[in-house]
């Protein structure tokens, strides 16, 4: 009886209620019936991003599509951008900017470390005329969380626009669009939102519109101006992914019912339990003090082929972890605990981790990880 | 007991099997499990486009996204493009080319008429150096089908690339990627493929690669080169819409079971019945001899507010037709018969059309449309 347990950096597990909401009778998107759902979802998404002054656009694309949308909507040929690169997804900002001919300055942060806000200030001081700073809240390739709240005022001080990839941050870590004065932020459906992949969401704060209006890169499918006009009519410029939109409304109903603060607390609690569970097995965390609540990246123990463990667990037990990408290949195991995840899922994750390591010849007292997690979870009340 | 009958130009009705396939357990996209499904789907899609020499990429976007992908993958700054405009979707090619700074020559065809291939030849002769011709197989805004088969050799004769928007054509009208020597063609999931919106498919024939390799417009999310590389590894460059991909596999299984030639014949038969049914009510067809099998566009009878009829039918009976867009607003009714549609659906469509017109004061012998359709469908065997 193999079941699928997705402890991956996305797609994450989908609640049956949400999955079945996708199977609802198809409706036409240019109808009051669809407009009502879309309008309500767009309002819910403001709650998700914690904004009252911004609006949220629903894109039919992956998170990368939303990143491209940000680049072409806030920049003009000749502009300079600053990018914080601490892994694969920070790198993607830099690649996108370069692809669109933008002069890009990258702050390269060591893998597993968070950026020092002072380095951002230094870069902004050194190169005058930077108009946009692209950052990543949670770098899923390394498991690091960056201190967006501290970075934002620095970016603002230098008059630049603050754009945040919070694809895996939103719905996991606290994210305060208005309070932190973020100009543009994005997320994807298949992460904290407990949805299948297919939708991305862009939150545009009112502070970003001047830049968007005057941006000079070509844009059509990604044009925020058209999305803004359409949203006023409770619709989208092009055909939306109707079934995913209906499912997302169900997912947002679940998030609203739990309360976004409780969602954040749940992730903090499960992440802490996972980290302690891993440490009790004698394992070392990759991101250390910068570890996000999205996933726990664990260093491969010496002599242990973690990619083989991951493959074996996936194929034989249905538990899916992921390994490292690119230069981190073979060096880490990433255990996601994002979205539709509860105490018992973390228990399963640690049980599988123990089993995988044990079968591969790594030695520890079997069950020690489980009892560590169990004591933390049972003795610590939710919240 | 209101049921939803979508006689719309897309999204179209989704078979329950396909809808439920969307609700399957989520799996991670970087696994052999997903790769196997994705590989099989990509092979099925070659059958859908009728290609052996091309390959088909699955995009997470609406049809418009796939159109933008074509533009940025085959053109360079300074290139000239020819666009056939016979309605809203031909216009979109022109808008996209203009947006990306391409010099664009438009052949404007009267609404409700198909383009004369000789006009394309004249345009190519008059303006040397046109590198790409953008066409539309079925213009859903007017219900017209263009003769792609006759246009393609002309385009080839002048050494230009033939790019076809067959978003509503594929899976409805015969479309022969290889036989007709099409270079690039696109379709969307929510049309003949009986799927929810969310996926678009781009078929790139091997004849198109030279242009794609040297194209100079910036591209990242839409880059066919990256899609081609990823497809060799049975995957996508960015996170795919897993649930929609799984559902699409089910839809393709249904299409393969019916046989693509039978799918085309079914649409031809249902379209003809709808046209004759409408005419028997004394109505005039908008597209006349150029009418596609995608939808039947009917001229509004004098003094009858068809938009009011459409709204009333939708809200009171669940039958959804669509009206005209832009300058055709109030002037036509469009009845879609595309995708998951059979004889009895056409009966329902005509019954609703009769009811709507009758309630609005238009007079005819009640049931005459139904009996016309019934005699055509019952006396004419499938195929």
């Amino acid at each position: 009886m193999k079941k699928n347990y997705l402890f991956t950096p996305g797609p994450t597990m989908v609640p049956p209620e949400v999955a079945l909401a996708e199977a609802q009778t198809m409706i036409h998107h240019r109808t009051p019936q669809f407009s009502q759902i879309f309008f309500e979802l767009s309002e819910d998404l403001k709650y998700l991003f914690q904004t009252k002054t911004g609006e949220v656009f629903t894109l039919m694309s992956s998170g990368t599509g939303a990143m491209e949308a940000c680049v072409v909507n806030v920049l003009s040929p000749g502009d300079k951008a600053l990018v914080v690169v601490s892994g694969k997804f920070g790198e993607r900002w830099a690649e996108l900017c370069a692809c669109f001919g933008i002069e890009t300055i990258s702050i390269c942060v060591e893998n597993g470390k968070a950026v020092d806000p002072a380095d951002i200030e230094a870069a902004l001081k050194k190169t005058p005329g930077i108009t946009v700073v692209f950052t990543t809240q949670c770098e899923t390739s390394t498991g690091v969380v960056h201190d967006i709240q501290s970075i934002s005022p620095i970016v603002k001080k230098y008059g630049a626009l603050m754009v945040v990839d919070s694809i895996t941050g939103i719905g996991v870590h606290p994210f305060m669009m208005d309070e932190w004065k973020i100009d543009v932020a994005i997320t994807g459906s298949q992460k904290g939102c407990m949805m299948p992949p297919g939708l991305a969401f862009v939150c545009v704060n009112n502070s970003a519109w001047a830049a968007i209006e005057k941006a000079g890169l070509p844009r059509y499918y990604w044009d925020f101006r058209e999305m803004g006009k359409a949203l006023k009519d409770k619709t989208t410029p092009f055909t939306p992914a109707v079934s995913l939109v209906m499912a997302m409304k169900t997912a947002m109903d679940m998030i609203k019912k739990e309360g976004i603060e409780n969602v954040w607390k749940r992730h903090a609690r499960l992440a802490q339990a996972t980290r302690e569970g891993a440490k009790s097995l004698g394992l070392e965390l990759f991101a250390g003090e910068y570890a996000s609540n999205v996933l726990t990246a664990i260093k491969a123990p010496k002599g242990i082929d973690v990619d083989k463990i991951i493959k074996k667990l996936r194929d034989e037990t249905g538990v899916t972890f992921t390994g490292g990408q690119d230069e981190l290949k073979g060096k880490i195991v990433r255990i996601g605990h994002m979205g539709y995840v509860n105490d018992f899922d973390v228990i399963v994750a640690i049980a599988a981790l123990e089993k995988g390591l044990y079968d591969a010849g790594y030695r520890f007292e079997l069950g020690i990880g489980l009892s560590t997690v169990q004591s933390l979870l049972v003795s610590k009340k939710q919240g």
Side-chain angles (χ1 to χ4, degrees), chain A:
Chain A
M1 177 65 72
K2 207 165 79 176
K3 299 190 183 182
N4 269 324
Y5 300 91
L6 276 190
F7 301 115
T8 46
T12 58
M13 290 184 276
V14 175
E17 303 86 305
V18 173
L20 286 170
E22 265 200 274
Q24 284 173 80
T25 307
M26 183 54 51
I27 58 172
H28 191 56
H29 60 295
R30 304 293 185 212
T31 55
Q33 290 88 332
F34 180 78
S35 289
Q36 184 59 30
I37 296 169
F38 187 69
F39 170 72
E40 287 173 17
L41 173 61
S42 303
E43 289 299 303
D44 290 351
L45 290 167
K46 291 188 194 173
Y47 171 69
L48 185 68
F49 281 91
Q50 292 285 293
T51 186
K52 287 203 161 73
T53 54
E55 47 197 352
V56 185
F57 303 139
T58 296
L59 278 63
M60 198 145 102
S61 79
S62 75
T64 303
M67 292 172 80
E68 177 162 323
C70 290
V71 168
V72 300
N73 272 285
V74 299
L75 289 163
S76 299
D79 278 355
K80 270 181 270 188
L82 181 67
V83 177
V84 178
V85 179
S86 71
K88 197 180 169 70
F89 293 96
E91 231 171 77
R92 190 157 291 173
W93 279 129
E95 286 173 11
L96 271 160
C97 288
C99 174
F100 286 93
I102 298 300
E103 189 186 327
T104 310
I105 294 116
S106 292
I107 297 182
C108 292
V109 185
E110 193 188 332
N111 270 336
K113 296 232 164 15
V115 68
D116 183 346
D119 291 346
I120 296 181
E121 174 137 28
L124 287 166
K125 198 178 272 177
K126 193 181 159 196
T127 311
I130 287 169
T131 58
V132 185
V133 177
F134 293 97
T135 58
T136 314
Q137 187 181 23
C138 297
E139 175 59 59
T140 44
S141 66
T142 63
V144 157
V145 57
H146 294 279
D147 183 2
I148 296 300
Q149 188 177 6
S150 301
I151 297 169
S152 187
I154 297 169
V155 172
K156 291 315 179 107
K157 189 174 138 189
Y158 287 84
L161 222 55
M162 175 79 179
V163 180
V164 186
D165 160 6
S166 184
I167 291 175
T168 52
I170 299 274
V172 176
H173 273 273
F175 187 89
M176 315 296 281
M177 189 77 188
D178 293 353
E179 201 185 306
W180 298 352
K181 296 193 169 28
I182 309 299
D183 299 299
V184 182
I186 59 173
T187 194
S189 56
Q190 77 279 18
K191 310 284 184 172
C193 296
M194 313 183 290
M195 273 278 297
L199 299 179
F201 307 101
V202 180
C203 185
V204 174
N205 224 333
N206 54 13
S207 54
W209 280 107
I212 292 167
E213 290 296 345
K214 77 171 184 20
L217 288 175
R219 49 191 151 154
Y220 192 92
Y221 186 71
W222 306 121
D223 197 334
F224 291 164
R225 296 165 301 183
E226 295 301 318
M227 294 182 201
K229 271 186 232 162
L231 189 58
K232 281 192 178 55
D233 294 329
K234 303 181 183 180
T235 188
T236 52
F238 312 116
T239 311
V242 176
S243 62
L244 292 174
V245 164
M246 294 195 288
M248 184 66 189
K249 183 66 186 89
T250 302
M252 278 307 310
D253 287 343
M254 291 174 73
I255 288 174
K256 284 193 300 179
K257 198 174 167 195
E258 185 176 357
I260 192 73
E261 292 85 0
N262 293 327
V263 169
W264 299 334
K265 282 180 196 160
R266 171 167 53 83
H267 282 93
R269 195 167 162 275
L270 298 177
Q272 200 214 338
T274 308
R275 290 191 288 261
E276 295 305 320
K279 286 199 275 183
S280 72
L281 299 174
L283 302 169
E284 208 182 324
L285 302 181
F286 182 70
E289 60 182 305
Y290 308 109
S292 79
N293 299 333
V294 168
L295 58 85
T296 297
I298 299 163
K299 290 189 191 172
K302 243 188 189 149
I304 300 289
D305 184 343
V306 288
D307 284 344
K308 206 165 146 188
I309 293 178
I310 291 167
K311 191 175 175 306
K312 201 158 173 270
L313 280 176
R314 183 193 68 205
D315 295 344
E316 292 177 9
T317 73
V319 171
T320 311
F321 299 148
T322 48
Q325 299 161 291
D326 304 330
E327 71 271 23
L328 290 176
K329 206 169 157 49
K331 293 187 182 156
I332 55 172
V333 179
R334 294 179 297 157
I335 302 178
H337 27 66
M338 167 171 49
Y340 188 54
V341 179
N342 69 12
D343 289 12
F344 300 119
D345 291 314
V346 168
I347 291 284
V348 169
I350 295 295
L353 180 67
E354 286 197 4
K355 176 181 161 54
L357 287 167
Y358 196 86
D359 288 351
Y362 180 75
R363 285 295 166 264
F364 54 94
E365 188 191 331
L366 267 174
I368 186 85
L370 283 175
S371 57
T372 303
V373 168
Q374 177 76 342
S375 357
L376 270 167
L377 291 178
V378 175
S379 64
K380 267 202 180 177
K381 271 198 235 140
Q382 175 85 38

